[in-house]
Amino acid sequence: GSWPSEVSWTISDSDGNVLLTGGAPYTGDFGNCLGDILGCTDVNAVNYNSDANSDNGCCKYESLLLNEVLYDPPAGTDGDANGDGTRDANEDEFVELINVSNSNLDISGYEFYDNTNLNQGMPNHVVPQGTVLSSNQAYVVFGGGTINGDFGNAIVHTASAAVLNLNNASDTLTIKNDIGEILIVFDIEALSNNPDESYTRLPDICSSDFVQHNSASNGLFSPGNKVDGTLF
């Protein structure tokens, strides 16, 4: 079945706990949507449409997922994430997104903000026109520098405002689509222990918690690749 897009709706469990609210129809199989949601630990699902039937048993999103963030590049040469031969605290920051849908996804015009720029309405990065991700393809944006390295099959850019400006504490990464809707919010404060490495989903491309990269594999970050270095 389908519902008119203007209808607001709520799904609750038998105890009255709200599991999902929204203002648009569920886009999956209407008959199975409760099973999909209840199978996932992440029910922050407006426009996410959770699906518990992934191969590794995690809750897999159906569109764009924030998979890895490096806001505290390691000191010295180990922190040269963009591969230009120089470690820079701003230029080597990066954000990695994955198109986890089964079709191409045009992210042209998507906007990235830190707290300061969000309050000022000035994006740190606007995704260039013509940026279309294939299914399971990564998108990586670095703070700056010259991009040089093995980033899998990812599309890689540097921040259009020449900086991502993600502080090591008391900051939030916000990503909006091309019509200004907030898609992703990543609160750095909860992970602000100066890790000198990235935070990554484990397993990759799931709604699992973020963990420090080196605890998941022998490495400090893996932009454009899975945590074990293999391709998405």
Side-chain angles (χ1 to χ4, degrees):
S2 63
W3 298 336
S5 61
E6 66 270 14
V7 172
S8 296
W9 49 270
T10 301
I11 297 175
S12 303
D13 64 18
S14 59
D15 296 322
N17 299 309
V18 174
L19 300 178
L20 185 63
T21 61
Y26 179 79
T27 60
D29 182 341
F30 177 74
N32 293 328
C33 64
L34 266 178
D36 288 347
I37 297 160
L38 293 175
C40 302
T41 59
D42 187 341
V43 291
N44 252 342
V46 175
N47 294 327
Y48 295 169
N49 301 324
S50 305
D51 179 4
N53 300 317
S54 61
D55 292 339
N56 54 18
C58 72
C59 169
K60 183 177 179 181
Y61 291 98
E62 289 186 356
S63 55
L64 194 64
L65 178 70
L66 176 66
N67 194 67
E68 185 178 356
V69 180
L70 178 65
Y71 60 81
D72 183 24
T77 57
D78 287 343
D80 180 23
N82 62 16
D84 64 1
T86 302
R87 184 269 185 189
D88 185 278
N90 292 312
E91 293 181 351
D92 288 303
E93 291 183 341
F94 72 80
V95 174
E96 176 191 78
L97 304 175
I98 311 294
N99 173 16
V100 293
S101 75
N102 293 321
S103 58
N104 291 345
L105 181 63
D106 189 341
I107 62 170
S108 304
Y110 282 29
E111 297 176 343
F112 292 59
Y113 297 84
D114 73 326
N115 266 351
T116 299
N117 282 34
L118 182 65
N119 292 333
Q120 296 175 350
M122 299 172 56
N124 301 76
H125 177 61
V126 179
V127 179
Q129 292 300 308
T131 304
V132 179
L133 298 176
S134 302
S135 178
N136 290 321
Q137 185 175 23
Y139 177 73
V140 179
V141 55
F142 286 96
T146 301
I147 306 305
N148 180 33
D150 177 13
F151 304 109
N153 65 351
I155 296 175
V156 185
H157 292 145
T158 56
S160 57
V163 66
L164 290 174
N165 201 34
L166 298 175
N167 296 326
N168 291 1
S170 301
D171 207 350
T172 301
L173 167 69
T174 300
I175 300 174
K176 299 181 180 183
N177 65 14
D178 57 339
I179 58 173
E181 297 172 331
I182 294 176
L183 300 181
I184 294 169
V185 177
F186 177 78
D187 184 4
I188 290 174
E189 183 63 26
L191 304 172
S192 57
N193 61 341
N194 297 319
D196 293 321
E197 58 185 294
S198 74
Y199 274 92
T200 184
R201 303 269 189 182
L202 188 68
D204 287 283
I205 63 173
C206 295
S207 67
S208 50
D209 292 336
F210 285 93
V211 300
Q212 290 182 208
H213 196 283
N214 203 36
S215 69
S217 103
N218 185 23
L220 300 176
F221 41 73
S222 55
N225 293 288
K226 293 183 177 181
V227 69
D228 61 2
T230 59
L231 298 177
F232 285 103

